[in-house]
Amino acid sequence: MPLPKLATLIGGLLLSRSGRRMAGRHAGKLALATLAFQLWEQRQAAKQPVPTSGARSARPRRRWSGRRV
């Protein structure tokens, strides 16, 4: 399994002294950001293409805004 890009970025951050200090100060934020990014990646991978139906496949139908003409 390939190593995720985010893991290599955080690993590189931890190699320097100032990077370790910053990571220690913001560990919770980094953990939340990593979790949110992984969840976003999973959702993007799970998206299925919308099935097209005949003539309407050229342009999606617009939502009604509530304004009357």
Side-chain angles (χ1 to χ4, degrees):
M1 183 166 122
L3 196 60
K5 292 179 187 176
L6 195 59
T8 57
L9 179 83
I10 293 174
L13 181 71
L14 296 176
L15 288 176
S16 68
R17 180 180 295 172
S18 60
R20 284 192 301 272
R21 191 177 327 139
M22 195 280 299
R25 223 178 287 141
H26 303 287
K29 293 175 195 165
L30 284 171
L32 281 175
T34 304
L35 183 64
F37 180 71
Q38 288 177 348
L39 182 63
W40 177 80
E41 274 189 331
Q42 287 176 0
R43 297 257 172 120
Q44 293 297 316
K47 280 187 179 177
Q48 299 288 331
V50 178
T52 58
S53 60
R56 290 195 180 237
S57 64
R59 186 174 54 164
R61 189 167 60 173
R62 295 186 52 171
R63 279 182 63 174
W64 182 58
S65 66
R67 285 180 35 183
R68 295 182 192 260
V69 179

